[in-house]
Amino acid sequence: MSDDRGKAENSTGSSDADDVAASAASSRPTGKRPGRRSSAAADSSAATTVAATTGASSVTAPPAKKAEKPRKENIFKRLRRFLREVIAELRKVIWPNRKQMVTYTTVVLVFVAFMVAYISGLDLAFIKGVTWLFG
């Protein structure tokens, strides 16, 4: 009987190892926006909407205490933290592959060549027009 249960769990894919792998995979950035907001954000916006529609008065928060001025860190510590944060952000970037890069570069160069030709043509037309009008 326990073998059947183990087989059922493995066949549905709900083992502990799968759960760990799924949670690790979901924490990595995919480069796509999530389909909908998280339930916590939806719940808070729903509560705000309900409070606004029922006419309930909003509760004001007590005034915040003046925050103490934080001490500045050493310039080297701040620089090191900045560089670590830059590296962390660059790891989140989804870099284009070679084919995409060639395509994007070609599109930009063709567009720039077209705009140069268009503006040069307009400039030449204006020069001819001004020469004919005043020349």
Side-chain angles (χ1 to χ4, degrees):
M1 176 112 174
S2 64
D3 292 337
D4 294 335
R5 187 181 309 154
K7 289 178 183 177
E9 284 180 8
N10 287 339
S11 66
T12 60
S14 63
S15 68
D16 292 335
D18 291 340
D19 292 340
V20 171
S23 67
S26 65
S27 67
R28 286 187 228 129
T30 61
K32 297 182 181 179
R33 293 185 180 172
R36 58 188 188 121
R37 291 191 287 185
S38 67
S39 61
D43 292 343
S44 67
S45 65
T48 305
T49 305
V50 170
T53 57
T54 59
S57 64
S58 62
V59 178
T60 58
K65 294 180 182 178
K66 262 191 172 176
E68 294 180 18
K69 194 172 182 181
R71 282 185 9 198
K72 279 193 169 183
E73 290 181 335
N74 184 356
I75 185 75
F76 297 110
K77 286 183 181 179
R78 286 187 287 159
L79 182 63
R80 188 172 167 195
R81 186 181 63 195
F82 173 74
L83 291 175
R84 266 189 280 164
E85 290 175 4
V86 166
I87 291 170
E89 289 298 321
L90 285 175
R91 285 186 178 141
K92 295 177 186 177
V93 173
I94 298 172
W95 298 97
N97 59 26
R98 185 177 183 86
K99 183 179 178 183
Q100 290 172 332
M101 203 64 211
V102 169
T103 302
Y104 298 158
T105 304
T106 304
V107 168
V108 168
L109 291 177
V110 167
F111 179 76
V112 168
F114 172 76
M115 290 306 293
V116 165
Y118 180 70
I119 291 174
S120 297
L122 286 177
D123 186 42
L124 185 63
F126 284 130
I127 289 172
K128 294 286 185 182
V130 168
T131 305
W132 174 79
L133 188 62
F134 296 113

